[in-house]
Amino acid sequence: MPPRSTSTRGGAASARGRPLAGAASPRVRPAGQGHLQVALPSSVSAVGVKRPGYGTLGRPIHAFVNTCPVTIPDKEIYQYDVKILSDDGKEKALPNRLNRKLFARLSVMHPNDVRRGAVAYDGQKIAYACYQLDLGQSLERVFRIEYVEANVENARGREYQIRLTAAMDADGRVKKINPEVLRRFVEGKQSNDTSVSEAVAALNVVLRMKPFEEHPFHGRSFYTALGKGALGFGLEVWQGYLQSLRPASGRLLINLDITAGVMYKEGTLAGLCIEYLNDRGIQRLNHLSPGHPGFTEYHRRKLVRFIIGMRIIPTIGASGPKMRKGKPVGVAALSREGASQIMFNPNGGGALNVADYFRLQNQPLASPHTICIRTPSGAYYPLERCEVVPGQLVKKEIPPDAVAKVVEFATKKPGDRFNAIKNATHVFGYGVSDYVREFGLNVNTDGLPMSIAGRVLSVPKLQYGKQKGTDHEVVRRPLSVITSIIDPSKTPVRGSWNMVDKKLFKPSVIRGWILLILVPQLKDDVVQGIANGFIDGCESVGLEFGKDPRERRPLIKHAVAENAAAELAAAGRMFRDALKGRLPHLVVAVLPEANNAPIYAAVKHFGICTAGVATQCLRVRKCTGAKRQYWANVALKVNVKLGGINVVPSPDVGQGVITDPAMPTIVLGADVTHPPPGSNSPSYAALVSSVDSNAAKYITSDSIQESRREMIAGLEGMTQDALTAFSDYREKVERVPPRDAKPKRLIYYRDGVSEGEYQKVLDIELPMIRAACQKANVSPKITVIVVVKRHHIRFKDDANNNLPAGTVFDRDITSPIEFDWYLQSHAPLLGTSRSGHYSVLHDDNNFGADAIQKLSYTLCYTYARTTRSVSIPTPVYYAHLVCDKAKLHYKPSDAMALSDAGTDSTTDVKQRYISSYQGLHASMKNYMWWM
């Protein structure tokens, strides 16, 4: 897209991170949309939209951020292609971890050619040097190295070859990365092109070299065992650290943060397997045997998914009672037979089973019938003779109880988080890193955390329903849950409010419902209390029940949880018979407190795919004896599932973007969710779209697509359906004339896209949206905004607390040229707030900073199932929920088979998922079923 013209922005610090003496203020001038316009040279282009200006709305606030300045080096950086070969010259595909160990041998065995600290390696295909390596006239050289596995008894060295080739630029010259482009970029004089991203990538590799040499790592993070915590299930959590360079206006910053990594527990593999299964019937080594009644094929498959790909150290027979450790090997499979049944031919001799092999080595197994692991080379090792390599990151789904403990470990208040980061600067090793010194970097950790200025936007006004004898009530300022909303003069607290004396904007009518009790032996008085509480909670916020008394009181059915789907169908028939052929509007299911995930899935699958009826699941401990506030919150979910609307923005908020009758606006939110590492199951995409004039009522489309594909393959059809639904609703429900029903503005919020994929959104998804508009015969002005929370920028105030909801930052830490900002739109109940990072990629509407920031903030207040603002705009949040519920489209009985299929490498995995996928029931397509 063509760059938007504006002028350059100055900065308060130099490109080298030092204050600029007498630095001029940014060149700004008033703009027509209430923001301050900045001037950027017309020759400078951005990936998305160039910053049109800075916002001015809101009161000022002082804050701290987990970044610090870093100098931009003067040295040119030379880039080299790296290939690691076996001793016979064949290229080897090795893990990043081993690649780095091999590359580290270069400076040991060839110190005159590859100087220690002067060459940084990304662990894959690229190396960077701060001087030009002598590779000869061919600009290519092969270095021979020897590598000996550490901590392996009697290990023999193995030879490898490392081929270094000078990378070439487009002109056929040796490729050099000049950090000067970074200096020009942070000053707003350089386009955001590949030269900038390559310079940032090179310096990030340099910064990470030392910690990655010393600690387990994954992606951009590394981990230490200091302060680790037990999770159960054969798992433990380690403290993680992350660093990443961020070019900002006037300076280069480094973002430092803490994270958490789940590791396999060090020790015997057999012990880890027993702990992971967490089954009362499997407590000893000999229980992991095919003949043991408590160890079923289900347990074996569960273990396969857990340990496949894990690295173990086998103990190897050596003709005597003393065993020696072998080199680490990977787990490729888990046998169905015990060690006493697996036959092989040792050293070309006669057939022998694994258990007898160890017995003949005078090393008999304690449990000869226990199953074995198989390595990629085909060797079998009994579980009791395998040790888990320490420091292995788990890249798979972990049990929910373990997830809860990880969250508890990682959740820290702002003051504690920032102190942990500050105290861990020595772990990053900047002061002792040969790489940092050789490349000329200087990280000013004394400037951590960095002081910045922001603004707190005013709280949006919200509109609820009519009280008797009144018009719609406007909530001028959301209040805390302990403060009455009646008094509009109260100061807003923590972005929350309550439903005291409030009615929903558009309440639904419940014309009959079923109360399904899936908890054994729940007493009748408790059940009646649940029914009464639900009715009272619904009526307290304005929901109504049908005039027939049988529609107000539920049909109550006690059911067996294991047969939830059949019980639901039976309850439906009972209801139909009782009400002369009519079906219920709603099923409320009371679930057991523990192990309720399969029951929940069965109820939801029945509702959204099989019967097309709204369902609401309740946990028995929560709903038993619950107060009205609990039931009012339940009613919020029920109302939108039945087609109602809870709350809408007041017409005078968001600069008129949402509610301007002259410019009807459709708001879209999109997300894609991917399978866990190690799985080949497909990805799922969701598009959520508003249908009403207030952007408060939404529908969704979802689809299956290629595994780990981020761009939405079916976006064109999804968008066309959304546009049609928007026009139909406005015409048929809101009674808008057909000529005025079509949208004139389309705002597309996209979640989950990394900065490196912004151009793909413009090249792939934006054209599909335009094509959908053309097919739907509409021509709205389109704005595309990416919003992500998966970043590591964190904020705190002077008192080590989270910042108030509505805090926005569009200076100091944002891009020098791109139109981006950070918005902290919610107040978390625990831990440190994670703001949304917004980037405008395309904007036909020519929004100013104030208008688009206020709009985005307003959309964080219309999330239907809570009376709190949320962390990202509502349609994006909904899209995330829809993606998370993709598994509900499968019958619970198919879950295990599909999960097993997901680990296959065959090409028909996706087809298995597609054939088993059940689409949304036709009667649910216009309702917010995902709530």
Side-chain angles (χ1 to χ4, degrees):
M1 58 173 285
R4 294 170 55 149
S5 76
T6 37
S7 67
T8 200
R9 171 189 176 191
S14 73
R16 293 177 174 274
R18 296 190 297 270
L20 286 172
S25 300
R27 293 171 54 198
V28 297
R29 59 178 182 269
Q33 296 189 1
H35 66 284
L36 290 177
Q37 192 174 29
V38 296
L40 290 168
S42 59
S43 60
V44 171
S45 61
V47 174
V49 176
K50 283 170 45 174
R51 185 180 302 281
Y54 299 110
T56 60
L57 294 178
R59 62 179 175 86
I61 188 173
H62 176 256
F64 293 94
V65 62
N66 59 334
T67 62
C68 62
V70 58
T71 59
I72 297 176
D74 296 322
K75 296 181 178 181
E76 289 185 322
I77 299 172
Y78 296 83
Q79 182 174 323
Y80 296 90
D81 298 328
V82 180
K83 286 188 178 180
I84 295 182
L85 316 171
S86 58
D87 55 359
D88 58 2
K90 294 181 180 179
E91 187 171 359
K92 299 285 289 185
L94 301 173
N96 190 307
R97 163 191 50 80
L98 181 54
N99 283 341
R100 288 179 178 273
K101 290 181 178 180
L102 297 176
F103 197 88
R105 295 290 297 165
L106 273 179
S107 60
V108 176
M109 300 187 68
H110 304 273
N112 296 328
D113 301 299
V114 180
R115 194 166 74 237
R116 165 71 183 175
V119 183
Y121 175 47
D122 71 351
Q124 297 174 318
K125 299 287 188 180
I126 301 175
Y128 303 98
C130 61
Y131 68 100
Q132 188 168 3
L133 302 180
D134 182 7
L135 303 181
Q137 292 184 349
S138 65
L139 300 180
E140 180 177 283
R141 184 175 170 186
V142 175
F143 297 87
R144 292 186 175 274
I145 64 165
E146 184 181 37
Y147 176 72
V148 180
E149 187 75 46
N151 302 318
V152 176
E153 298 174 21
N154 303 320
R156 292 178 296 178
R158 183 173 180 179
E159 288 191 354
Y160 291 89
Q161 301 176 28
I162 298 180
R163 180 188 297 162
L164 296 181
T165 306
M168 311 303 287
D169 61 20
D171 297 324
R173 295 174 297 190
V174 174
K175 186 170 185 177
K176 292 185 287 187
I177 296 172
N178 188 349
E180 175 65 22
V181 298
L182 283 180
R183 188 172 294 109
R184 290 179 52 79
F185 180 64
V186 300
E187 292 172 354
K189 301 175 183 177
Q190 165 74 37
S191 297
N192 190 4
D193 55 23
T194 55
S195 66
V196 173
S197 59
E198 287 176 348
V200 171
L203 295 181
N204 269 325
V205 170
V206 172
L207 288 168
R208 293 169 186 156
M209 278 298 292
K210 183 172 178 58
F212 279 19
E213 286 178 345
E214 298 176 348
H215 304 284
F217 62 89
H218 178 68
R220 298 179 298 166
S221 302
F222 64 94
Y223 305 90
T224 69
L226 186 65
K228 66 182 179 182
L231 300 177
F233 305 98
L235 305 170
E236 53 192 22
V237 58
W238 287 25
Q239 185 66 69
Y241 302 91
L242 176 140
Q243 56 184 339
S244 181
L245 286 173
R246 305 281 310 175
S249 183
R251 54 190 163 187
L252 183 63
L253 302 175
I254 186 166
N255 175 207
L256 304 177
D257 198 19
I258 55 173
T259 181
V262 177
M263 304 285 178
Y264 291 110
K265 185 177 178 181
E266 184 179 0
T268 66
L269 181 58
L272 180 141
C273 289
I274 292 170
E275 188 175 343
Y276 174 71
L277 290 175
N278 192 31
D279 191 302
R280 292 181 180 179
I282 305 173
Q283 297 292 317
R284 299 178 182 176
L285 174 62
N286 63 351
H287 292 173
L288 298 171
S289 305
H292 188 269
F295 186 72
T296 65
E297 178 64 11
Y298 166 80
H299 293 105
R300 193 194 70 84
R301 289 181 179 180
K302 190 174 179 181
L303 283 180
V304 168
R305 290 192 297 273
F306 180 58
I307 69 172
I308 192 168
M310 176 195 293
R311 294 167 58 239
I312 58 97
I313 300 173
T315 50
I316 302 172
S319 299
K322 185 178 180 180
M323 295 174 287
R324 64 180 178 88
K325 293 182 178 181
K327 66 179 183 180
V329 293
V331 176
L334 198 59
S335 69
R336 284 184 167 83
E337 304 83 11
S340 60
Q341 298 172 294
I342 299 172
M343 307 299 292
F344 74 112
N345 298 89
N347 300 321
L352 195 66
N353 68 56
V354 173
D356 282 347
Y357 170 80
F358 279 92
R359 179 179 56 80
L360 294 174
Q361 298 292 327
N362 198 23
Q363 300 164 11
L365 300 178
S367 179
H369 305 298
T370 300
I371 58 176
C372 300
I373 64 104
R374 179 169 60 79
T375 71
S377 66
Y380 285 90
Y381 294 100
L383 293 184
E384 65 181 272
R385 295 297 167 86
C386 300
E387 294 182 8
V388 179
V389 175
Q392 289 187 79
L393 196 72
V394 178
K395 303 174 185 177
K396 302 171 184 178
E397 284 186 294
I398 62 174
D401 289 346
V403 172
K405 291 182 179 179
V406 173
V407 172
E408 182 181 355
F409 178 90
T411 300
K412 290 180 171 59
K413 295 179 179 179
D416 295 336
R417 188 183 197 93
F418 276 72
N419 286 337
I421 296 169
K422 182 72 174 178
N423 295 334
T425 51
H426 69 280
V427 180
F428 293 98
Y430 301 131
V432 295
S433 171
D434 294 333
Y435 301 97
V436 170
R437 183 180 64 255
E438 288 276 6
F439 279 81
L441 288 164
N442 182 23
V443 181
N444 179 18
T445 54
D446 291 338
L448 181 71
M450 196 172 77
S451 174
I452 59 172
R455 295 171 288 115
V456 182
L457 303 178
S458 60
V459 177
K461 298 176 185 177
L462 303 176
Q463 188 167 307
Y464 273 94
K466 294 180 180 179
Q467 297 279 8
K468 289 184 179 180
T470 68
D471 199 350
H472 283 93
E473 180 173 4
V474 174
V475 181
R476 297 192 175 277
R477 288 178 176 172
L479 307 176
S480 80
V481 293
I482 60 172
T483 305
S484 172
I485 294 183
I486 300 303
D487 183 359
S489 66
K490 296 289 185 181
T491 303
V493 179
R494 297 183 62 81
S496 63
W497 61 101
N498 61 29
M499 290 297 297
V500 174
D501 298 323
K502 296 288 164 289
K503 302 296 182 183
L504 301 178
F505 182 82
K506 182 183 177 182
S508 300
V509 178
I510 302 174
R511 302 189 184 280
W513 60 294
I514 293 172
L515 180 58
L516 188 70
I517 307 299
L518 295 167
V519 180
Q521 300 179 345
L522 198 63
K523 295 181 179 179
D524 289 343
D525 59 332
V526 175
V527 173
Q528 290 300 326
I530 292 172
N532 293 337
F534 178 78
I535 294 170
D536 178 63
C538 288
E539 292 180 335
S540 72
V541 295
L543 270 79
E544 299 177 1
F545 291 85
K547 295 180 180 179
D548 189 329
R550 293 174 299 176
E551 295 177 337
R552 187 172 187 272
R553 299 302 305 180
L555 185 153
I556 299 174
K557 177 172 173 54
H558 292 263
V560 179
E562 289 73 13
N563 301 318
E567 297 280 14
L568 281 162
R573 291 191 293 270
M574 291 171 58
F575 187 96
R576 182 187 58 196
D577 294 342
L579 272 77
K580 299 180 180 180
R582 287 173 46 198
L583 293 174
H585 275 193
L586 174 70
V587 175
V588 177
V590 180
L591 309 186
E593 191 63 26
N595 301 318
N596 55 30
I599 307 170
Y600 173 88
V603 172
K604 289 298 179 181
H605 179 81
F606 178 87
I608 68 175
C609 297
T610 305
V613 61
T615 57
Q616 179 61 51
C617 293
L618 309 173
R619 291 168 60 182
V620 64
R621 188 179 298 173
K622 289 281 189 180
C623 66
T624 301
K627 296 181 180 180
R628 176 180 279 190
Q629 183 63 48
Y630 168 84
W631 291 112
N633 289 336
V634 171
L636 296 180
K637 302 178 184 180
V638 169
N639 187 51
V640 294
K641 289 176 182 178
L642 296 176
I645 298 174
N646 292 352
V647 63
V648 301
S650 185
D652 60 342
V653 304
Q655 305 289 325
V657 171
I658 298 177
T659 55
D660 182 0
M663 292 291 290
T665 301
I666 183 172
V667 184
L668 310 180
D671 192 17
V672 178
T673 187
H674 302 293
S679 172
N680 292 316
S681 57
S683 295
Y684 297 92
L687 180 75
V688 171
S689 58
S690 63
V691 295
D692 66 322
S693 300
N694 297 302
K697 180 178 174 62
Y698 292 83
I699 62 170
T700 186
S701 298
D702 54 358
S703 66
I704 303 177
Q705 61 184 42
E706 182 182 346
S707 185
R708 294 180 178 82
R709 174 191 169 113
E710 183 57 47
M711 297 300 106
I712 301 176
L715 184 60
E716 181 179 331
M718 293 175 168
T719 305
Q720 186 177 355
D721 291 343
L723 292 166
T724 302
F726 179 86
S727 300
D728 288 348
Y729 185 90
R730 281 172 47 79
E731 182 179 343
K732 297 174 182 178
V733 179
E734 297 181 345
R735 303 300 181 185
V736 175
R739 65 180 181 275
D740 299 325
K742 294 180 179 181
K744 295 183 179 179
R745 264 194 301 239
L746 185 154
I747 301 174
Y748 178 61
Y749 284 95
R750 181 64 157 89
D751 187 18
V753 178
S754 67
E755 293 178 5
E757 294 174 310
Y758 285 179
Q759 191 61 52
K760 288 184 179 181
V761 174
L762 295 173
D763 294 341
I764 299 174
E765 293 190 349
L766 179 57
M768 286 195 280
I769 294 173
R770 285 173 169 157
C773 291
Q774 186 174 9
K775 288 183 178 180
N777 195 27
V778 298
S779 53
K781 293 182 177 180
I782 299 171
T783 296
V784 177
I785 305 169
V786 169
V787 53
V788 295
K789 286 180 61 183
R790 294 175 186 172
H791 59 80
H792 287 269
I793 294 290
R794 300 291 184 271
F795 304 101
K796 68 165 186 154
D797 65 12
D798 296 316
N800 288 326
N801 295 319
N802 282 307
L803 301 176
T807 303
V808 63
F809 300 95
D810 59 3
R811 304 173 184 246
D812 298 327
I813 58 170
T814 51
S815 169
I817 63 172
E818 309 279 354
F819 189 8
D820 72 326
W821 68 91
Y822 292 88
L823 172 61
Q824 193 158 299
S825 54
H826 73 303
L829 299 175
L830 297 171
T832 304
S833 226
R834 184 184 301 183
S835 59
H837 182 214
Y838 297 74
S839 299
V840 182
L841 301 191
H842 179 84
D843 188 18
D844 293 333
N845 292 286
N846 292 316
F847 286 123
D850 282 331
I852 197 67
Q853 290 169 7
K854 186 65 176 177
L855 166 65
S856 299
Y857 185 39
T858 298
L859 288 172
C860 296
Y861 276 79
T862 58
Y863 184 66
R865 69 180 189 183
T866 185
T867 53
R868 301 179 66 89
S869 58
V870 290
S871 57
I872 53 178
T874 293
V876 189
Y877 207 125
Y878 286 165
H880 182 71
L881 291 179
V882 174
C883 285
D884 279 351
K885 294 182 183 293
K887 58 183 176 291
L888 300 179
H889 288 274
Y890 298 96
K891 290 181 180 180
S893 58
D894 294 340
M896 178 60 71
L898 287 171
S899 180
D900 286 343
T903 62
D904 292 347
S905 58
T906 54
T907 56
D908 65 341
V909 168
K910 180 182 175 183
Q911 189 56 46
R912 295 190 216 178
Y913 275 85
I914 292 175
S915 60
S916 300
Y917 184 90
Q918 288 189 295
L920 195 66
H921 193 281
S923 64
M924 302 297 288
K925 68 177 184 178
N926 293 323
Y927 296 93
M928 294 168 62
W929 56 266
W930 60 90
M931 301 299 288

